Amino acid sequence: MVLSGTMSTSNRQIRLAARPQGEVKPQDWEHADAPLPEPADGQFAGRTLAISLDPAMRGWLDDRPSYIPPVGLGDVMRAGSVIEVTDSKHPKYAPGDHVVGVFGVQSHAVSDGRGATKVDLGRAPASTYLGALGMPGMTAYFGLLDVGALQDGETVVVSGAAGAVGTVAGQIAKLKGCRVIGIAGGPEKCAMLTEELGFDEAIDYRAGDVRKALRAAAPDGIDVYFDNVGGEILDAALANLAMKARVVICGAVSQYNSSSGMRGPSNYMMLLVRRARMEGFVVFDYADRYGEAAAEIATWIGEGRLKTKEHIVKGTVDDFPDTLQMLFRGENVGKLVLELQDR
Amino acid sequence: MVLSGTMSTSNRQIRLAARPQGEVKPQDWEHADAPLPEPADGQFAGRTLAISLDPAMRGWLDDRPSYIPPVGLGDVMRAGSVIEVTDSKHPKYAPGDHVVGVFGVQSHAVSDGRGATKVDLGRAPASTYLGALGMPGMTAYFGLLDVGALQDGETVVVSGAAGAVGTVAGQIAKLKGCRVIGIAGGPEKCAMLTEELGFDEAIDYRAGDVRKALRAAAPDGIDVYFDNVGGEILDAALANLAMKARVVICGAVSQYNSSSGMRGPSNYMMLLVRRARMEGFVVFDYADRYGEAAAEIATWIGEGRLKTKEHIVKGTVDDFPDTLQMLFRGENVGKLVLELQDR
């Protein structure tokens, strides 16, 4: 085998070295080299093109009851990614195919195809298959339309509105005929929401009292609140619910790094006052309807009615830990993706 | 007019003198005498036989957004009661009739009949029309069956289980074929729940870790949690939800007297993990179905399949403030009623 500057000789991996206390620290990760994987019968192998970074990842690092088991100590970090097949002993995959799946934070992966889907990079870039056409898009779609039971003409508030899920959720709500208010951090993100994505209003949570701002922006109350952040913003939204409102619990990114425990919504009795409900969901439960959602979202993108926002960091697998921090610092706009460059 | 020892010459009233900070104090009430009320055309007047005491009363004293306006400063305290009509200029009511309605904490009342219902004290005592056949019974019925969407064979947990709503809710859940676990304070209440009311298990929240006790009592998780108390017990229940569970928010008696603000449920993200929903309701919304519920509950009582638990304090209107405190100290078992004796 001839070695060259662009040919990897090992599989670079990011493994979980320790369970983080509060914020994830560099020493919680191990940067390791493994042999390049070879496919067994019924498997294919490939090199990673793009890795998804998601707020939910923080929860996967903790050893407590959740919707999926935690990442094991010493295991390759779990992540969605797009790979290019380089070798295959699987009847449905051939070298050159592009595949999205949960292949982990590593430069090379092997798979039996479970949970994997072939994608066409001629139609959309890898980052979009991790964003609007991937889990964030599915999450926005089913969270709003199914859990939130969105109705035409309602007032919708989305927190984390400039994030991967929020950008799609707000635009879907607009496409469904709703008045949409986004909550995000900083004037640039807020301007992007209203000027570029068509949100009716945007509230900068760093600029003042979110509760008052919501009262001004939604004087008749919030019909659907799509929550990605938890904490004080969830409380501000609860204080402004309309009668029979639906609060969709999608995430709580403001709380994930808390070492003093989660903060509960002290205004939860507004659920009684406003005869409202708060409901959690996990997008995996909708796996058999992903096709339906992806088709509709792809149509909207094709028609220019839904804009994809992606924040692409170019680097290597070793940049994963630093890139992940950007999510919790609110440094990304739209879907955060680590695009791997040749090493 | 001849005065006698048993004839009142004035209408004794308990009025709200100040908005309580934390626990309600004696000086928050004014004990006052008003002229005996006389009915105008379309009204009837009566003397009060029994006054309802409800945990929700604490919320009515605070001037903040809720499902009904707060009691005004200087106003007679709002309360449900049963009165005996003594004088009437209303076509549908005659002296000697007994009527349940929101007549306030006063020895005499006048009404135009709005929200009032004639009752038959030959069929059930006044206290039952304030309990199992009154608002607490309606609350238990619609909270469990409508909001909780109770299904045969499910595991149901009721907090405040020895209270007015809890005793009825637990028994209805048993009648509907569910496994029922009650949470109450102290061994006597717990024994009453299992031995007298047929609960499958009872957990004494004063005796130890409720979260662990719930895990042992409901190893497959809680399908419906009917919450009357909030606070730590709500968090313990959230930690033990089954998939697709329903959390019915009926009250939060542990929090009503808090002067440091409500404590929110820090385990609310279990709603996501377990794809569960938490929903609040106000029984008034079911007013047009009270008849249906009361008929079914009356049948169960008549057949001996639902036992009424009432805690009757005999006294005068002046005993209202002290009696109300019993609710927040957990001193009552079942429906707490102040039965008025001749002054």
Side-chain angles (χ1 to χ4, degrees):
Chain A
M1 181 177 183
V2 179
L3 298 179
S4 86
T6 59
M7 172 82 80
S8 302
T9 57
S10 68
N11 181 16
R12 189 68 171 169
Q13 301 179 324
I14 303 298
R15 301 175 185 165
L16 184 63
R19 301 222 171 270
Q21 304 297 313
E23 254 190 59
V24 189
K25 285 170 287 297
Q27 58 266 36
D28 297 327
W29 303 109
E30 180 196 359
H31 298 240
D33 286 295
L36 285 175
E38 302 224 356
D41 274 347
Q43 292 186 328
F44 59 90
R47 67 182 184 92
T48 306
L49 303 181
I51 295 172
S52 175
L53 294 107
D54 303 273
M57 285 175 161
R58 180 63 190 83
W60 304 346
L61 306 182
D62 292 330
D63 187 12
R64 59 178 165 210
S66 190
Y67 58 94
I68 39 171
V71 177
L73 286 176
D75 288 357
V76 173
M77 177 60 190
R78 180 190 293 143
S81 63
V82 174
I83 68 173
E84 180 173 83
V85 177
T86 50
D87 193 2
S88 180
K89 294 182 180 168
H90 190 294
K92 292 189 177 165
Y93 295 87
D97 282 351
H98 297 112
V99 186
V100 66
V102 183
F103 301 124
V105 183
Q106 52 187 345
S107 62
H108 296 76
V110 70
S111 168
D112 61 5
R114 225 175 320 179
T117 308
K118 259 191 258 192
V119 296
D120 180 355
L121 296 189
R123 287 184 60 216
S127 51
T128 302
Y129 289 109
L130 298 174
L133 292 173
M135 286 306 107
M138 304 296 108
T139 300
Y141 187 95
F142 293 108
L144 266 185
L145 303 183
D146 201 86
V147 186
L150 195 71
Q151 301 293 315
D152 185 32
E154 289 192 320
T155 296
V156 176
V157 173
V158 179
S159 64
V165 175
T167 49
V168 180
Q171 291 184 86
I172 290 178
K174 281 305 298 177
L175 284 163
K176 295 291 184 182
C178 292
R179 174 174 158 74
V180 180
I181 300 153
I183 305 175
E188 294 80 9
K189 286 182 181 174
C190 287
M192 183 274 292
L193 294 176
T194 53
E195 291 165 19
E196 194 176 337
L197 301 188
F199 284 53
D200 296 287
E201 297 205 34
I203 294 171
D204 178 1
Y205 70 82
R206 295 177 184 157
D209 185 327
V210 174
R211 182 172 168 159
K212 280 187 193 158
L214 280 172
R215 184 162 311 151
D220 297 328
I222 302 164
D223 296 302
V224 175
Y225 173 56
F226 192 104
D227 191 34
N228 291 302
V229 303
E232 286 177 21
I233 293 176
L234 172 54
D235 266 329
L238 286 168
N240 283 288
L241 295 182
M243 291 290 278
K244 291 279 173 195
R246 286 83 67 201
V247 176
V248 180
I249 300 295
C250 177
V253 70
S254 76
Q255 303 294 300
Y256 292 157
N257 280 328
S258 166
S259 49
S260 58
M262 293 281 288
R263 172 197 157 130
S266 54
N267 286 337
Y268 82 100
M269 285 296 283
M270 290 303 290
L271 296 176
L272 183 150
V273 172
R274 298 289 150 77
R275 290 80 155 161
R277 73 163 192 250
M278 182 152 88
E279 187 163 354
F281 77 109
V282 173
V283 69
F284 306 155
D285 296 346
Y286 294 91
D288 59 353
R289 293 172 57 196
Y290 285 169
E292 159 199 335
E296 190 161 16
I297 294 172
T299 301
W300 287 328
I301 295 173
E303 296 171 349
R305 300 169 70 201
L306 191 148
K307 298 195 172 100
T308 56
K309 291 299 289 185
E310 290 153 14
H311 192 127
I312 294 170
V313 173
K314 295 181 190 252
T316 70
V317 160
D318 291 300
D319 295 313
F320 173 81
D322 285 347
T323 310
L324 185 64
Q325 290 310 313
M326 294 175 64
L327 286 173
F328 300 105
R329 296 192 190 120
E331 292 171 0
N332 62 305
V333 174
K335 175 64 199 172
L336 184 62
V337 172
L338 177 58
E339 206 176 275
L340 298 195
Q341 304 190 293
D342 287 339
R343 292 163 68 200
Chain B
M1 183 177 181
V2 178
L3 298 179
S4 86
T6 59
M7 172 79 84
S8 303
T9 58
S10 69
N11 181 15
R12 189 69 170 170
Q13 300 178 325
I14 304 297
R15 301 174 186 165
L16 183 63
R19 302 225 171 268
Q21 304 296 315
E23 255 190 59
V24 189
K25 285 170 286 299
Q27 57 267 35
D28 296 327
W29 303 110
E30 179 194 0
H31 297 241
D33 287 296
L36 285 174
E38 301 223 356
D41 273 347
Q43 293 186 326
F44 59 90
R47 69 182 183 92
T48 307
L49 304 181
I51 295 172
S52 176
L53 295 106
D54 302 273
M57 285 174 161
R58 181 63 189 83
W60 304 345
L61 307 181
D62 292 329
D63 187 13
R64 60 179 163 209
S66 189
Y67 58 94
I68 39 171
V71 177
L73 285 176
D75 288 357
V76 173
M77 175 61 190
R78 181 189 295 143
S81 63
V82 174
I83 68 173
E84 180 172 84
V85 177
T86 51
D87 193 1
S88 179
K89 293 181 180 168
H90 190 296
K92 292 188 177 165
Y93 295 88
D97 282 352
H98 296 112
V99 186
V100 66
V102 183
F103 301 125
V105 183
Q106 52 187 344
S107 63
H108 296 75
V110 70
S111 168
D112 61 6
R114 226 175 320 177
T117 309
K118 259 191 257 192
V119 297
D120 180 355
L121 297 189
R123 288 184 59 216
S127 51
T128 302
Y129 289 108
L130 299 174
L133 292 172
M135 286 306 107
M138 303 297 108
T139 300
Y141 187 94
F142 292 107
L144 266 185
L145 304 183
D146 201 87
V147 186
L150 195 71
Q151 301 293 316
D152 185 31
E154 289 192 320
T155 296
V156 177
V157 172
V158 179
S159 64
V165 174
T167 49
V168 179
Q171 292 183 86
I172 290 178
K174 282 304 297 176
L175 284 162
K176 295 291 183 182
C178 293
R179 174 173 159 76
V180 180
I181 300 154
I183 305 175
E188 295 80 9
K189 286 182 181 174
C190 287
M192 184 274 290
L193 294 177
T194 52
E195 291 166 19
E196 196 176 336
L197 301 189
F199 283 54
D200 295 287
E201 296 204 38
I203 293 171
D204 178 0
Y205 69 82
R206 294 177 184 157
D209 184 328
V210 174
R211 183 172 167 159
K212 280 186 194 159
L214 280 172
R215 185 163 308 152
D220 297 329
I222 302 164
D223 296 303
V224 175
Y225 173 56
F226 192 104
D227 190 34
N228 291 302
V229 303
E232 286 176 22
I233 293 176
L234 172 54
D235 266 328
L238 286 169
N240 283 286
L241 295 182
M243 290 290 279
K244 291 279 171 195
R246 286 82 68 201
V247 176
V248 181
I249 300 296
C250 177
V253 69
S254 76
Q255 302 295 301
Y256 292 157
N257 280 329
S258 165
S259 49
S260 58
M262 294 280 288
R263 172 196 156 128
S266 54
N267 287 336
Y268 82 101
M269 285 297 283
M270 290 302 290
L271 296 175
L272 183 150
V273 173
R274 298 290 151 76
R275 290 78 156 163
R277 73 164 192 249
M278 181 152 89
E279 186 163 355
F281 76 108
V282 174
V283 70
F284 306 155
D285 295 345
Y286 295 90
D288 60 353
R289 293 172 57 196
Y290 285 169
E292 157 199 336
E296 190 162 16
I297 294 172
T299 301
W300 286 328
I301 294 173
E303 295 170 351
R305 300 169 70 202
L306 191 148
K307 297 195 173 101
T308 57
K309 291 299 290 185
E310 290 153 14
H311 192 128
I312 294 170
V313 173
K314 295 180 190 252
T316 71
V317 160
D318 291 301
D319 295 312
F320 173 81
D322 285 347
T323 311
L324 186 64
Q325 290 309 314
M326 295 176 64
L327 285 174
F328 301 104
R329 296 191 190 119
E331 293 171 0
N332 61 305
V333 174
K335 176 63 200 172
L336 183 62
V337 172
L338 177 59
E339 205 175 275
L340 299 194
Q341 304 191 294
D342 287 339
R343 292 163 68 199

